[in-house]
Amino acid sequence: MSLDWIYYAISWILLRWHALWDTIGIPDGRVLGTNWSWILSIVFLVVTLRVILFPVFVKQIKSQRAMQALQPKVKELQEKHKGDRETLQKEMMELYRVEKANPLMGCLPMFLQIPVFLGLFHVLRRLNPDNPQPNLYGWTADQFRDATHSALFTAPLPAKFGSSATELTQLGANSGVTVKIIAAVLVLTMMATTYLTSRQMILKTGWAEDPQQKMIQRLMLYGIPLSLLVSGALFPIGVVIYWVTNNLFSLAQQQWVLRKFPPPQVAGKPGTTPARSANGATAAKGTTKNPVQPAGRGLFGRKQAEPEPQTPVVDTKALAPKPGAKPVNPKKGTRPANKPKG
């Protein structure tokens, strides 16, 4: 299957942003050793894609909330089928099917961005002065030449931490040491922001009870950042800038959503302290026995149902007369109504 359509799409978005910065007047020459028009083009490539993928992000949040709401039922199944992994998996798959929950939905935005990452990796990798096809994927010869010699603090954007001396010479790098320092700092930043993005969501929603879902959480939290330590040396500096920008955008977006629409408290979760209600019943702190959502707007502007009126509980023991007390005649002291004359 040809991926040319991805390369054309990435190139089109990148070149449109570069043309905009050129129209606004952002210089294409180096300021502080940096071609800011190309750096901003990569940054706003991220913004464009994240705006397009925002509906998918909404589905991801809803799926995570659904999975969190199912945790008590998942725990019951685990207790019921302890030691019978095959039956447990069948029952849990049936539970997900009935409740229309998908444990893999939380990874969907990341999977959708993989083709974009591969496309940008391919487009930046071919930025070489010796490339015989500079006009490929809609580029002009001038755009190709400018992008090939673009840099971040004198480190060429097509360069990598593992670039050879010959490759750096072709790209016009002033110093191989500078390229390695810039690339190393960006790779470490990429690892840190990747870890923080996963950690932010797990701290708010908690670890999953489902072993399969928990394994995915551990993979995203520890496995992916560690793998970037090795693979990051093969990424062009422009690709690492894209990844870091994407992570920072994700951190800000998740923080806004989690602050505005905090995940519901699940009874029995570690960290909840029991609180005694007015009638002596014990419930988890922050939860009620029959929770009723307040009227108004729910997640992402949807209307919530109006709360049902509750009948006040009458304490009959408090109304009963105490032993030895003199009975009170409710009619005593009241004047009879005047009877009509005639």
Side-chain angles (χ1 to χ4, degrees), residues 303-315:
K303 291 185 177 181
Q304 294 180 337
E306 294 289 338
E308 297 181 1
Q310 297 182 357
T311 305
V313 179
V314 179
D315 191 351

Side-chain angles (χ1 to χ4, degrees), residues 312-322:
V313 179
V314 179
D315 191 351
T316 55
K317 292 183 178 181
L319 298 179
K322 296 182 179 180

Side-chain angles (χ1 to χ4, degrees), residues 32-264:
L32 299 176
T34 302
N35 299 88
W36 294 107
S37 58
W38 285 107
I39 299 296
L40 288 174
S41 298
I42 294 175
V43 169
F44 278 84
L45 170 66
V46 174
V47 174
T48 303
L49 295 173
R50 292 310 297 257
V51 170
I52 294 174
L53 292 177
F54 184 75
V56 179
F57 177 75
V58 173
K59 290 184 179 180
Q60 177 193 20
I61 295 296
K62 289 181 178 180
S63 176
Q64 289 171 341
R65 299 288 170 85
M67 292 298 298
Q68 188 178 13
L70 288 178
Q71 291 308 308
K73 294 183 179 180
V74 170
K75 196 169 184 179
E76 290 179 5
L77 290 176
Q78 289 174 341
E79 293 293 333
K80 181 179 179 181
H81 302 289
K82 186 179 295 185
D84 190 352
R85 189 174 183 82
E86 183 178 353
T87 304
L88 175 62
Q89 290 296 331
K90 291 181 179 179
E91 292 289 338
M92 290 180 64
M93 293 302 294
E94 179 64 18
L95 175 64
Y96 294 151
R97 186 189 66 81
V98 172
E99 298 293 339
K100 297 180 180 180
N102 187 354
L104 299 179
M105 181 62 72
C107 304
L108 184 59
M110 183 185 68
F111 289 148
L112 290 179
Q113 291 184 75
I114 290 177
V116 177
F117 171 79
L118 295 177
L120 184 62
F121 180 86
H122 177 80
V123 168
L124 293 181
R125 187 178 59 176
R126 62 179 295 274
L127 294 178
N128 188 313
D130 297 332
N131 193 325
Q133 296 179 306
N135 297 327
L136 199 61
Y137 308 133
W139 291 67
T140 65
D142 290 340
Q143 290 170 336
F144 184 85
R145 183 182 62 256
D146 291 342
T148 300
H149 295 90
S150 60
L152 173 66
F153 303 124
T154 72
L157 296 185
K160 305 180 290 292
F161 180 87
S163 294
S164 64
T166 303
E167 292 173 337
L168 294 177
T169 301
Q170 291 176 339
L171 294 172
N174 297 330
S175 171
V177 176
T178 302
V179 171
K180 290 188 181 297
I181 292 175
I182 297 297
V185 170
L186 286 173
V187 168
L188 292 176
T189 306
M190 176 175 63
M191 294 174 60
T193 52
T194 300
Y195 170 80
L196 291 175
T197 302
S198 299
R199 182 175 179 269
Q200 181 189 52
M201 185 63 70
I202 291 175
L203 286 179
K204 290 292 184 180
T205 59
W207 288 95
E209 298 288 345
D210 177 16
Q212 181 182 3
Q213 185 74 4
K214 193 171 185 177
M215 181 181 66
I216 294 175
Q217 287 179 323
R218 290 187 181 277
L219 174 64
M220 296 183 65
L221 184 61
Y222 302 114
I224 294 179
L226 288 176
S227 67
L228 295 176
L229 184 61
V230 178
S231 60
L234 306 176
F235 297 160
I237 289 177
V239 172
V240 182
I241 293 174
Y242 166 85
W243 195 309
V244 171
T245 306
N246 185 64
N247 287 344
L248 293 175
F249 197 98
S250 297
L251 282 169
Q253 191 177 56
Q254 288 181 175
Q255 180 66 20
W256 179 81
V257 171
L258 293 172
R259 183 183 294 272
K260 192 171 183 63
F261 307 104

Side-chain angles (χ1 to χ4, degrees), residues 321-336:
K322 296 182 179 180
K326 186 177 180 180
V328 179
N329 186 0
K331 296 183 179 181
K332 187 175 180 180
T334 59
R335 299 179 61 185

Side-chain angles (χ1 to χ4, degrees), residues 16-26 36-37 40-41 44:
R16 295 291 77 73
W17 279 113
H18 183 265
L20 175 62
W21 305 131
D22 188 45
T23 302
I24 292 175
I26 293 179
W36 294 107
S37 58
L40 288 174
S41 298
F44 278 84

